[in-house]
Every structure is written in C-alpha cells, then in structure tokens.
Amino acid sequence: MSRVYNFSAGPAVLPEEVLTEAAAEMLDYNGTGMSVMEMSHRSKAFQEIIDSAESDLRELMNIPDNYKVLFLQGGASQQFAMIPMNLMKNRVADYIVTGQWSKKAYAEAAKYGKANKIATSEDRTFSYIPDCSDLPVSEDADYVYICENNTIYGTKFRHLPDTKGKPLVADVSSCFLSEPVDVTKYGVIYGGVQKNVGPAGVVIVIIREDLITDDVLPGTPTMLQYKTHVDAGSLYNTPPAYGIYICGKVFRWLKRQGGLAAMKERNEKKAKILYDYLDASQMFKGTVEAKDRSLMNVPFVTGSDELDARFVQEAKAAGFESLKGHRSVGGMRASIYNAMPEEGVKALVAFMKTFEEENL
C-alpha cells in the first residue's frame, strides 16, 4: 500500500526520512544490538540521545542559557494543571481564551486560584484573535496565558499580547518549530509533540530559570513540580524514551531543511496555495478571519453538512486522510504541518477543484 496524504491534526504526519531512519535502526540502534524501545533510560546510549535532542532544539530555537528544556509526559493537557501548580504564587492568573484548549486550561486554573478571562473570541466561534495590545492585565497576576495556534479553529497569534511585564505562558503544540521564535518573550513555552514534532507521548517544556522554584502550591505532587524534572535532567522517572528519540531525529531533519526561517517560508507557501483556492472557490469557504489564519491548520466548509460528509468520504477514498473537522465544529480541516509536502497541498487543491466542478 502506498502512503496517503495525512492531514490529521495529531498524531500527525512525520518526515519520511525520519521514519525510514527509525525503521533501519529498529532492531539495532547504533551498534547496541537493541532497539531504543528496549534501551535503559539510564544507559550511555540513551543519555547521548536526549542530550543531542536538547542541544539540537536549543540551536533551532536559539534558546538562551537561562531557560531549561524538559521532555515530559502527560501531554499538553497535563500542563493545564502543572502551570498553575508551579507558577500561581499569588493565586491569580490571566487567560486569553481563543479556542477549546485555552478554554480548558482556563477552567483548570480556576481550581487553583482566581483565573481571569481578560480577552476572548468566543462571541464569534473563536474565528479570530482578539486585540491584545492593551489588555486589562491584573496587577497581581502571576502570568498571562495563551494558546498561540488554535488547532481546532485555525487561528494564530500574529502578535504576542502585551502582558505588561507579567510572564507569558504559551501552549504552542500545533505551531511548534514551524517558524522562528524569540524565546526571551516568554516565561514558559510548551507543546505536545504529536502535531509537528514527533509521536504522541511527549510534551516539551521550555521554562525560564527564575520560574523554577520549590515554592509551589501546597499538595503539588512531586511528579508535577518543574524543579523535580530540571534537577533530574528529564530523567526523574522513565521518560517517553522512544518518542524523545524520534523528536531528536525531527530536530536534525529540520536543521537539514535550513532551520526555522526556511520552514516558515515553506509553510507560508503551502498555506497560500490552499487559502488562495478557498478565497476563489464558489463552494468551499474558510472559516477564519484572514488576518488571523493559521499556517498549520486550515478549517473550511461547503455550507452543507451533507456535502461536507460526501467530500470527506470521497477524499479518503482518493488517499487524503483525516480531513474531517473536529467534532465540536464540523466541516473540514486540513492540517499542513512541517512534514506535509507542498505536493500534498497541491494534490488536495486539485481534488477540491474536481469535487467542486462535479457538485456545483
């Protein structure tokens, strides 16, 4: 069977080069006579894997020395609690709610203190990013929280909010490593890797040193304290070893592509192909305000539930996988992460044109 074009929002498409390399090393990694799946996380071989992964990520993102990199478990959703447990010293935090994931993070934070919703786009089904240039940031807020790219709704912060001196915490799960980023503008950057970096099971946290302390909320489990994992070099317990190994391969693949500036250029070109067609189409329409469109996740509709369902069914039969929109919004969604080739987007647009001709 030939490979499909996988437009899944996550777990998502990975670079074929990475999959081929991993397949070749499955039974014998680097002369160890065993798979990384079988390897002790305390071994020299795995220590080299995790050290190299961190080094390559630091190089890709130009991460300053005063930020720690953690490879953790629990996915991005566990960070919804871990953030307030570790950072909510005053029991106050401000949240900008622009989709389902920031909405869930906001609700979770409210369990630990006062969570203030200082901006939201709920009034128009999260189809835009609100103006964040002059927000009512709380004087006693411990941090300001955003989900930078909204996977379900297809929106992206083009400009980071003015947090008025408060640390910015950002969930970047679905735009991780898709473009250059100034790490110094954040207190914490974190993301589940299964969308743009690796297989499900790993969440990467990049956190400024001054935010890593023993002063956490009473009752915070040892496993949910950032300092626990910083002190142990992400090896406090058995880590998601194979997932980290694949992430490391993706980091090296990104470096071979020319780094994050080159990826941004490629991603903008790919997205333009699809958005230009949606803007010209008589049948398909994008659902996001143009100024806030994501380069990674492109939701669209026909206006007919019946036609949407037929499109998804016929697209799947033609080798275009996982185009059905999230269950909460319906329609369609094409996730065109780093590893999706330009040919895949062009093939999808060609299929959409044919479908439109046959069904108008």
Side-chain angles (χ1 to χ4, degrees):
M1 180 180 177
S2 61
R3 298 263 298 165
V4 298
Y5 285 121
N6 179 11
F7 292 94
S8 172
V13 60
L14 285 167
E16 286 195 17
E17 284 179 41
V18 168
L19 296 176
T20 301
E21 285 177 16
E25 295 173 348
M26 180 58 74
L27 296 178
D28 179 10
Y29 172 74
N30 201 26
T32 60
M34 68 182 92
S35 171
V36 176
M37 286 186 185
E38 307 168 294
M39 187 179 290
S40 167
H41 62 294
R42 304 295 181 192
S43 67
K44 180 183 177 183
F46 184 74
Q47 189 66 56
E48 289 174 353
I49 287 171
I50 195 169
D51 287 348
S52 295
E54 177 177 342
S55 176
D56 287 333
L57 180 61
R58 284 186 174 277
E59 183 181 339
L60 279 167
M61 295 182 69
N62 194 26
I63 300 173
D65 290 342
N66 66 322
Y67 284 75
K68 297 296 185 182
V69 175
L70 300 172
F71 296 93
L72 306 177
Q73 299 176 76
S77 294
Q78 185 163 280
Q79 296 302 308
F80 298 168
M82 205 164 169
I83 293 288
M85 282 178 169
N86 285 264
L87 303 188
M88 226 188 217
K89 317 295 187 188
N90 298 322
R91 301 280 184 135
V92 179
D94 289 350
Y95 279 70
I96 300 169
V97 177
T98 53
Q100 292 284 23
W101 304 117
S102 50
K103 188 176 182 179
K104 287 185 176 182
Y106 163 73
E108 192 75 10
K111 297 177 181 179
Y112 301 99
K114 185 181 179 185
N116 302 307
K117 189 189 299 182
I118 59 171
T120 183
S121 52
E122 287 176 277
D123 60 329
R124 296 207 299 276
T125 324
F126 299 122
S127 61
Y128 70 102
I129 298 293
D131 180 5
C132 296
S133 59
D134 187 20
L135 296 168
V137 176
S138 308
E139 285 189 17
D140 54 351
D142 292 300
Y143 58 88
V144 176
Y145 182 102
I146 63 171
C147 180
E148 196 162 325
N149 187 91
N150 295 284
T151 322
I152 294 174
Y153 298 95
T155 57
K156 169 75 164 67
F157 278 80
R158 296 294 176 195
H159 305 283
L160 294 177
D162 180 358
T163 63
K164 300 182 178 177
K166 304 297 183 182
L168 177 63
V169 176
D171 175 355
V172 298
S173 296
S174 53
C175 59
F176 207 11
L177 301 180
S178 64
E179 60 184 12
V181 58
D182 183 354
V183 175
T184 64
K185 292 183 177 180
Y186 304 80
V188 181
I189 305 174
Y190 76 87
V193 306
Q194 72 276 9
K195 298 174 182 296
N196 213 25
V197 184
V202 185
V203 59
I204 295 174
V205 177
I206 302 163
I207 179 169
R208 207 172 62 213
E209 280 182 338
D210 61 291
L211 299 175
I212 306 162
T213 69
D214 289 315
D215 180 20
V216 297
L217 295 189
T220 299
T222 302
M223 272 291 291
L224 296 184
Q225 297 178 30
Y226 289 124
K227 194 170 187 301
T228 297
H229 299 285
V230 168
D231 290 347
S234 297
L235 297 173
Y236 174 74
N237 68 324
T238 307
Y242 196 79
I244 294 168
Y245 155 76
I246 297 294
C247 289
K249 285 192 173 296
V250 171
F251 299 155
R252 288 193 290 277
W253 177 80
L254 286 167
K255 288 169 66 175
R256 292 196 297 271
Q257 307 312 302
L260 301 190
M263 292 313 301
K264 182 183 181 183
E265 188 177 324
R266 280 172 52 172
N267 289 328
E268 287 175 339
K269 187 178 179 183
K270 284 190 301 184
K272 187 176 188 302
I273 293 167
L274 184 49
Y275 282 126
D276 281 355
Y277 169 66
L278 290 172
D279 289 342
S281 172
Q282 291 182 288
M283 174 181 285
F284 298 102
K285 300 297 175 189
T287 59
V288 174
E289 288 193 12
K291 67 180 178 62
D292 299 321
R293 285 170 165 172
S294 167
L295 297 180
M296 299 284 97
N297 311 102
V298 184
F300 55 97
V301 296
T302 64
S304 161
D305 290 344
E306 180 185 347
L307 209 52
D308 286 353
R310 189 188 312 162
F311 173 80
V312 171
Q313 182 181 13
E314 293 185 11
K316 183 177 177 67
F320 301 97
E321 186 67 38
S322 300
L323 283 167
K324 187 176 180 179
H326 190 271
R327 61 187 178 276
S328 64
V329 294
M332 286 76 67
R333 173 182 52 182
S335 292
I336 49 177
Y337 297 124
N338 284 343
M340 172 58 65
E342 184 179 323
E343 303 80 62
V345 180
K346 287 180 175 177
L348 173 61
V349 168
F351 178 81
M352 292 170 73
K353 286 179 178 177
T354 300
F355 185 88
E356 181 170 356
E357 292 166 2
E358 293 174 350
N359 290 276
L360 259 184

